Amino acid sequence: MTPQPARRNEQSRRAILTAALELLTEAGYSAVTIEAIAARAGVGKQTIYRWWRGKGAVILDALADNVPEVLALPDTGDLRADLRQVLRATVAEFADPRLSATTRAITIETLADDELADQVRDRLLRPQLNAVRTRLEVAREAGQVRPDAPLDQVVELLFGPLYHRWLLRNGPLTDDYADGIVDLTLAAITPPCTCLGI
Amino acid sequence: MTPQPARRNEQSRRAILTAALELLTEAGYSAVTIEAIAARAGVGKQTIYRWWRGKGAVILDALADNVPEVLALPDTGDLRADLRQVLRATVAEFADPRLSATTRAITIETLADDELADQVRDRLLRPQLNAVRTRLEVAREAGQVRPDAPLDQVVELLFGPLYHRWLLRNGPLTDDYADGIVDLTLAAITPPCTCLGI
Amino acid sequence: MTPQPARRNEQSRRAILTAALELLTEAGYSAVTIEAIAARAGVGKQTIYRWWRGKGAVILDALADNVPEVLALPDTGDLRADLRQVLRATVAEFADPRLSATTRAITIETLADDELADQVRDRLLRPQLNAVRTRLEVAREAGQVRPDAPLDQVVELLFGPLYHRWLLRNGPLTDDYADGIVDLTLAAITPPCTCLGI
Amino acid sequence: MTPQPARRNEQSRRAILTAALELLTEAGYSAVTIEAIAARAGVGKQTIYRWWRGKGAVILDALADNVPEVLALPDTGDLRADLRQVLRATVAEFADPRLSATTRAITIETLADDELADQVRDRLLRPQLNAVRTRLEVAREAGQVRPDAPLDQVVELLFGPLYHRWLLRNGPLTDDYADGIVDLTLAAITPPCTCLGI
DNA sequence: ACGTAAGCGAGACGGTACGTCCTGTCTTCAC
DNA sequence: GTGAAGACAGGACGTACCGTCTCGCTTACGT
């Protein structure tokens, strides 16, 4: 009844994930149907339904599989430079139609399926955010960040605006914008003025 | 050929928008189909297609119609208190299943339709953001905000994290969280330390 | 909810019935699927399901529509000759691959669906049998048939063996066979020997 | 490659045939699928395909295996009584839902598979018909039947109408009907009136 | 006696068809 | 002459079986 992972055909699995990504980047979200994925992958629909809950789960796996990106942040000692680099990379990702299409797709699926949303958070989002958080912890210990700064919120202070602007198109999403967000955020968490040793 | 707005049946229009909202809050996004809306509104499908581009446009109109909320921000003189109130209201909105459902729905539609996205930005998002921006301008003139603060980015610094957390479920979305974001943002834009009159 | 026959598209109806018959005669029973019928007829599957209960009902209609054959039997005055002609025609029908295919198909459907079986009996079978029965009644009044002959059973005595042999392939189905059945049947219902006027 | 009958698992064979019959009588023809048979028999699907050509072959074997009925006809000396008994038994078989279901099923399979049809004729039908034919031959030698009667056709004259009526539901299938058919048939083959020694 | 080749239960696989649902267009009828 | 009602072509959904194909496991030969 329940499928046995041991017997799973790795070749089919890869073909399915690849087909999903290709459809997404070549023909857009609306072209990503289970039937199209199955046809392009040369696979029976049942093979998809046997291993995934639906379209969203396939897309998630495709992303998690094909995008096991760099999770370690640069640490040049210059926090501002490091954060700018990360946020500029994120801007570039949003600007790339291919990468953007996958993000758009997984976001749609996320919005319509709570269970999927949890998995996206844990498998795609958290690792990225944690990498930034770790860099901030290092900076805090180096005295570059106020010791009482709520780092989780700070991380979202960095990414939230980018995501917001991408999603809602409230203005251009440029490197300058990313730099501006970094500057604002750093202004918020830089140790208070200590002139006169007060 | 082209519909003449003058002849439009206001009763049908209201029934359609109401039906869309009810379906959304009662049965969830997946239950919102043109057929269901038409059936519940006691309307022919053609009447919907005649006046709207599709499901997304109907939902947008439904929101813009039924949620002509307060756009004027409070101005108690206390910027921190005012912003906290606004962000707490936003948190409350995200927490309310009904309001949240509509936001979720319009976000999905937005992601799949660029033209709709522009309208959502102009008709729903911008007014809200501009209200906050206006309040910040007042504060800047009152010297409570650094004169060089990029207010558009500051607004997004406030709402971005909330939206991000709601969308991606990266932690609880509480009043405390909203307060924390306000505090961080204010720390970023408060005039620099001027001890000793420097 | 329930479809309104008044709005039915006659063109689609004919296309569907034609497609079903063509598939049946060209590619055989196993090729007759709802999908294939819809595709060949250039019709949505729903249009088939809206008006028919399933494949069997379509085939029945196709037959009843395209085969409104001669229901009047010849009456040359020679009962034996008339019956031979009818049974030979039946044999020819069974021998024709095209007609045979449709009969085979409707028989399969009949066996799997009681409701359909009733309709086949009433719309296809009964008229044919009644025509023969009517001829027998004429003969009976003419004194060519024993007055106490159970005509319904006699009719089945004529067709039953043909059907039986066709279905179960118990020997060749030829004109001679048909003639033999007619002769046997007539032997059974010819008025008793009245030599000597007894 | 070709399976070796010597190694065949008799236990599985019986389980498969039993499962097929049970499904047929308990859940109807549409429930008889290779998958269901395999599942109920606790057997792999391949074990079925290794030994049978398909569903029809399994059903045929199940019938031939579990219904090796009496093939010898009674011979009380009274031909009419003997034939009535046989035809009444046939009527009873058609009336029994369980037996009827199997007959229905094998008939469907027969109609869609010529090779199977031949086997059904040889293994199920012929023995039964031949038994009746043998009885008729005895009667012919005893002078109870015209010497020129075509016995094969006579046998079909007996069974054809029953089969016809069962299949096409053209009226009730009762003992009276069976008796009527026997009477008609006997009327057809009884030696001609020989009054006056003509 | 022991390896090896078969049959076996199990079930994943590429497919086909099912019957349902929805889309966006087109048609009809009643007001 | 508009608009409700809904039929239409099309196409994706998720399910059920098909017949084939591996898997390990057991079982019975043949050396």
Side-chain angles (χ1 to χ4, degrees), chain A residues 8-9 12-13 18 28 44 49 54 56 72 76 80 86-88 94 113 115 125 133 136 152 163 179 183 190 197:
Chain A
R8 183 163 187 181
N9 184 334
S12 295
R13 187 185 141 271
T18 302
Y49 285 112
T76 63
R80 185 177 312 266
V86 173
L87 259 67
R88 284 179 171 218
F94 282 141
D113 180 344
E115 189 174 323
L125 185 66
R133 194 199 142 96
L136 288 171
D152 281 335
Y163 210 77
D179 293 350
D183 291 346
T190 298

Side-chain angles (χ1 to χ4, degrees), chain A residues 36-49:
Chain A
I37 295 173
R40 179 180 275 244
V43 142
K45 284 201 291 178
Q46 199 61 55
T47 301
I48 299 180
Y49 285 112

Side-chain angles (χ1 to χ4, degrees), chain D residues 120-187:
Chain D
V120 168
R121 181 195 56 206
D122 294 337
R123 294 175 54 191
L124 294 181
L125 185 66
R126 277 273 166 73
Q128 184 190 19
L129 299 185
N130 280 341
V132 174
R133 194 197 144 95
T134 301
R135 179 66 186 84
L136 288 170
E137 285 169 357
V138 171
R140 183 165 59 182
E141 286 174 17
Q144 299 165 335
V145 168
R146 291 165 47 178
D148 63 334
L151 295 192
D152 280 335
Q153 292 181 28
V154 173
V155 171
E156 289 174 311
L157 212 62
L158 288 164
F159 287 104
L162 264 62
Y163 209 78
H164 187 265
R165 181 159 278 209
W166 170 70
L167 205 59
L168 300 170
R169 293 164 171 66
N170 185 38
L173 193 50
T174 61
D175 283 353
D176 280 351
Y177 182 75
D179 292 352
I181 295 298
V182 169
D183 290 346
L184 276 169
T185 301
L186 285 184

Side-chain angles (χ1 to χ4, degrees), chain C residues 31-102:
Chain C
V32 183
T33 64
I34 296 287
E35 299 220 319
I37 295 172
R40 179 180 276 244
V43 141
K45 285 201 290 177
Q46 199 62 53
T47 301
I48 299 181
Y49 285 111
R50 188 177 296 120
W51 301 111
W52 288 277
R53 289 199 326 113
K55 192 168 54 174
V58 175
I59 295 176
L60 168 57
D61 260 19
L63 260 62
D65 218 59
N66 296 24
V67 190
E69 303 182 7
V70 197
L71 291 178
L73 235 61
D75 186 349
T76 63
D78 182 349
L79 180 60
R80 185 177 310 267
D82 290 351
L83 291 179
R84 282 189 170 189
Q85 184 180 334
V86 173
L87 261 64
R88 283 181 174 219
T90 304
V91 164
E93 191 177 324
F94 282 142
D96 181 333
R98 299 186 165 242
L99 296 176
S100 192
T102 59

